[in-house]
Amino acid sequence: RGWAAAGLWSVGIAAFHFGEFVCVAAYRPRELKAVRFLLPGLGAAKEYNMAFFAGIAEFIIEAVFFPSLKSNMYIALPAGLLMIACAVGRIASMAHCAGNFSHIIEVEHRDRHQLVTTGPYAYLRHPAYFFWFWWSVSSQVCLGNPLCTVAYTAASYFFFRHRIPYEEQLLASEEFFGDRYKQYRAQVPTWIPFIP
């Protein structure tokens, strides 16, 4: 049964990485490179590479030595489906934002850069981040990896705990969207735990 969970996890991983590439191809074609797949070993940050391979290592070690940890499909199946749903939600959020979305925080305002507050952005201040957070956590729950579930949750939280305030400081500046962004920020939550 644990290997079935690994198959479901593989679908969630493939959907995420393929979606990342498609969104860049569709909305930022000048930035299109193989690294936009964000695949481990092919352009992903070293922290992501370490986490990715730690999750695989934990799964294999526990599947061999503690197979009972990997046999609960009542947990793995909903987590795997959540993982796939979050990958799709992230892709949909990036597509809705279109050319306004960038993997790298933009520190200078582009002429075409618009504040998007419709679609998923009407309910989630950073929907692509929200879906990434829950995709990351559900990936390890799907695999039945207790250690990496805790580690991924903590790493994702601390990543966004630093990234979101930095990005929002820029977006609320007069160079970007000023009071419009401040008002938007006050009205729409992130729905990422402990990040208002």
Side-chain angles (χ1 to χ4, degrees):
R1 289 187 184 186
W3 297 106
L8 191 56
W9 172 84
S10 298
V11 171
I13 289 288
F16 174 84
H17 290 289
F18 184 71
E20 295 287 321
F21 186 82
V22 167
C23 282
V24 173
Y27 302 109
R28 292 195 167 238
R30 282 185 244 133
E31 298 176 13
L32 189 59
K33 298 176 185 159
V35 299
R36 294 301 180 192
F37 271 111
L38 299 181
L39 289 171
L42 187 65
K46 67 179 178 181
E47 295 85 358
Y48 181 83
N49 289 331
M50 290 172 21
F52 183 85
F53 290 113
I56 292 172
E58 180 179 354
F59 178 81
I60 291 170
I61 290 167
E62 290 172 355
V64 170
F65 295 105
F66 309 102
S68 63
L69 286 175
K70 307 300 179 192
S71 63
N72 191 337
M73 286 306 288
Y74 293 109
I75 294 173
L77 181 60
L81 294 175
L82 177 62
M83 184 186 174
I84 293 167
C86 286
V88 171
R90 178 171 165 88
I91 294 162
S93 298
M94 292 167 56
H96 183 78
C97 202
N100 295 296
F101 185 88
S102 175
H103 286 106
I104 299 167
I105 294 175
E106 296 186 20
V107 295
E108 293 181 10
H109 187 267
R110 291 178 289 112
D111 290 338
R112 293 183 180 184
H113 194 181
Q114 298 175 351
L115 178 58
V116 178
T117 60
T118 59
Y121 291 83
Y123 307 99
L124 300 162
R125 199 163 68 241
H126 296 281
Y129 294 169
F130 169 85
F131 287 116
W132 190 92
F133 179 90
W134 290 110
W135 172 84
S136 172
V137 173
S138 64
S139 74
Q140 297 310 298
V141 175
C142 176
L143 289 176
N145 287 350
L147 300 175
C148 281
T149 296
V150 171
Y152 273 50
T153 303
S156 297
Y157 168 77
F158 285 111
F159 176 78
F160 288 121
R161 185 74 184 113
H162 294 285
R163 183 180 180 103
I164 289 173
Y166 172 69
E167 182 174 1
E168 290 188 337
Q169 180 181 3
L170 292 168
L171 293 171
S173 72
E174 292 306 316
E175 184 181 346
F176 280 82
F177 306 111
D179 290 338
R180 286 178 50 222
Y181 190 81
K182 291 174 187 172
Q183 182 181 7
Y184 171 69
R185 179 176 57 197
Q187 294 174 343
V188 181
T190 66
W191 293 105
I192 296 173
F194 308 110
I195 300 176

